[in-house]
Amino acid sequence: SNIMTAYTKSELEEALSRAHNDLSQAKLAIGEAAGTESNWHDNAAFDYANMEHDLKSANLGNLRKKLRDVVIISPRQQTDKADIGNTVVIKFEGEHEEETFTILGPDDSGKKQGWLSFLSPLGRSLIGKREGENAEFSATGEKKQKVKVIKILPGNFE
């Protein structure tokens, strides 16, 4: 299943509708590029139209896949430990300012400020942590970073 907020699902459904239209336009462009008397074997416009069609088709397939078996995330009210649907206040080691993140699904990440995928290195390190605990994570190719969980709050993202 694909875990996401209702907000992200709605955005993806709108993108799917646009992708259907884009694919229809790409099909028309192939016909126009081929023309009635065109030699499609040596026709750059025809080749380009076919590449555009393939890209639009792949995008449509990707969106359909993301919207299959969707599980909508509800704001998590329990604050005993961090989990998907919680908002977590953390402090990076060596920093003075606290930062706030809401742990959500992969497609939610970056949609709004502070939305973080539970599959990201930081998101994975926060799952299961309690207030006052430390977590360590490493982004690909980077040195390990440490964070301290300052507060676990109910999710606030609807």
Side-chain angles (χ1 to χ4, degrees):
S1 60
N2 194 8
I3 300 170
M4 67 181 69
T5 61
Y7 174 86
T8 296
K9 181 177 186 242
S10 175
E11 275 199 344
L12 289 174
E13 287 170 339
E14 289 174 17
L16 181 66
S17 178
R18 287 190 305 273
H20 277 292
N21 291 336
D22 290 348
L23 186 60
S24 293
Q25 293 300 314
K27 287 177 183 177
L28 289 173
I30 289 173
E32 289 174 8
T36 55
E37 299 178 23
S38 175
N39 178 2
W40 59 270
H41 290 289
D42 191 24
N43 182 335
F46 181 76
D47 292 341
Y48 178 78
N50 274 291
M51 287 189 305
E52 279 293 304
H53 174 270
D54 291 347
L55 288 172
K56 305 290 184 189
S57 182
N59 182 46
L60 183 67
N62 186 38
L63 289 167
R64 283 181 177 152
K65 183 179 176 184
K66 287 181 178 195
L67 287 165
R68 197 175 311 135
D69 299 323
V70 170
V71 174
I72 299 295
I73 301 170
S74 297
R76 186 169 187 271
Q77 299 305 306
Q78 299 87 345
T79 58
D80 56 327
K81 63 180 181 173
D83 208 342
I84 298 169
N86 279 120
T87 296
V88 183
V89 180
I90 63 172
K91 191 172 186 183
F92 287 88
E93 184 178 61
E95 297 291 324
H96 300 291
E97 300 289 320
E98 295 176 351
E99 294 190 43
T100 303
F101 295 95
T102 302
I103 305 171
L104 299 169
D107 290 309
D108 296 308
S109 181
K111 295 275 185 200
K112 292 190 178 182
Q113 177 138 3
W115 283 20
L116 176 73
S117 169
F118 71 92
L119 294 177
S120 69
L122 177 58
R124 276 194 294 248
S125 75
L126 293 174
I127 298 288
K129 295 292 187 244
R130 297 180 187 280
E131 288 181 9
E133 289 187 332
N134 293 316
E136 242 183 34
F137 71 98
S138 176
T140 307
E142 293 184 17
K143 68 177 189 165
K144 288 192 179 213
Q145 290 185 292
K146 294 179 183 178
V147 297
K148 182 174 186 167
V149 177
I150 305 299
K151 188 100 177 125
I152 300 170
L153 304 166
N156 182 17
F157 53 87
E158 286 191 311

